[in-house]
Amino acid sequence: MFKSLFIILLILPVFIFSQETNTDTTLSRQMVEIITYDNNEYIGYLSSENDETITITTLDGINIMIPKASIVKQAEFYGKSEAGKILRADPNKSMYMFAPSAFPIGHQKSYCRDFCVVFPSYNRGFGDNISVQMGAFWFPGVPFDETPLVSSVKMSLPSIAKTQFAGGIMYVRLPGFDDENIGMGFTFITGTIGDNFTHASASIGWGYSQVEGEWDFMDEPILVLAGNYRSSDRFALIYEGWFFPEAEIETQPMTGAIRFLGKRFSFDFGGIFIMEMEGVPFPIINFTYYLN
């Protein structure tokens, strides 16, 4: 399964650009999502609006008139239609399993994430280009003042023809070393090709350590390859591989997972594996809840 995910990553660009011709042509118009007080949800194209009502046209061509007084929420819908089904964009597009993509989270959008139970985090977008993560590596029985704290900042450039670039830094503060200020992390530059549904990324980055203001960077960069292939309206395949300098390809760690996409959450189930390993890969479980 996991080697198949690696192959999928290599051919993702073909899928990315071919899908552009398979999507409904009417989707050049922006769709809207409307939720009413009786918990009904309407998705379609805005047809007309006056002081009292909003009329939308569904993908089936049906016009629905909705009283404004009954609307709880109205927002742009960043999805698309394929084969008569609506695909919601993945709000977790800014990250794969652990590695970043070049996509930003989005202005005032946020989500909570729990990676393998031990790494809960809060992620938020500021403006259209800045993404911030705050979290901790938590292990049962470890006091809070001895828990490594994690923060990261990513700056995304505007996208051009389904291509986007970003750069950022992750910092891990390591407590419990007397009064010394000790940390470590990863600086990166990422390029991503694709859209909110299917995309692939390549990152190069330098690991570093920091002790009392002294920074020590790796001489050679780490290469990270990752991909997200949207296989249906509810499922995606995720691949992520970390390639360290001067190490054999058979010893490099890789992850593969299936992502289930709900309306307000996503759930990843997969594993970490090495090509030369035998037996069952180390399991990965990741849960993400979208706040807005």
Side-chain angles (χ1 to χ4, degrees), residues 96 99-102 186 188-192 201-205 222-226:
Y96 295 96
S101 73
F186 183 68
F188 60 89
I189 299 172
T190 300
T192 298
S201 296
S203 301
I204 57 172
I222 300 169
L223 172 65
V224 183
L225 299 177

Side-chain angles (χ1 to χ4, degrees), residues 1 3 40-41 57 80 116-117 165 172 174 177 181 205 222 249-250 252 258 263 272 279 284 290-292:
M1 169 185 171
K3 291 183 180 180
N40 285 324
E41 180 181 31
T57 302
K80 66 179 181 180
C116 290
V117 181
F165 294 92
V172 182
L174 302 175
F177 294 90
N181 183 18
I222 300 169
I249 184 67
E250 293 81 6
Q252 306 285 13
I258 297 175
K263 186 179 296 186
I272 301 176
I284 287 178
Y290 313 126
L291 298 175
N292 49 42

Side-chain angles (χ1 to χ4, degrees), residues 119-135:
F119 183 30
S121 66
Y122 173 74
N123 305 261
R124 186 173 182 85
F126 294 90
D128 295 327
N129 305 103
I130 299 176
S131 304
V132 175
Q133 178 188 62
M134 295 174 289

Side-chain angles (χ1 to χ4, degrees), residues 114-234:
D114 192 358
F115 181 79
C116 290
V117 181
V118 301
F119 183 30
S121 66
Y122 173 74
N123 305 261
R124 186 173 182 85
F126 294 90
D128 295 327
N129 305 103
I130 299 176
S131 304
V132 175
Q133 178 188 62
M134 295 174 289
F137 286 109
W138 175 82
F139 296 92
V142 177
F144 178 77
D145 59 354
E146 297 181 10
T147 299
L149 303 179
V150 182
S151 61
S152 68
V153 178
K154 180 176 69 178
M155 172 69 75
S156 300
L157 299 178
S159 61
I160 301 175
K162 285 196 171 185
T163 302
Q164 194 158 12
F165 294 92
I169 183 170
M170 172 180 287
Y171 179 77
V172 182
R173 180 180 177 274
L174 302 175
F177 294 90
D178 298 325
D179 294 329
E180 291 185 344
N181 183 18
I182 296 178
M184 58 185 296
F186 183 68
T187 62
F188 60 89
I189 299 172
T190 300
T192 298
I193 181 172
D195 55 24
N196 291 352
F197 306 91
T198 295
H199 47 89
S201 296
S203 301
I204 57 172
W206 288 261
Y208 66 86
S209 61
Q210 179 265 328
V211 180
E212 290 299 318
E214 296 292 332
W215 298 74
D216 184 18
F217 284 84
M218 294 176 59
D219 293 329
E220 297 184 43
I222 300 169
L223 172 65
V224 183
L225 299 177
N228 182 324
Y229 172 65
R230 186 70 170 267
S231 58
S232 70
D233 58 331
R234 291 292 186 183

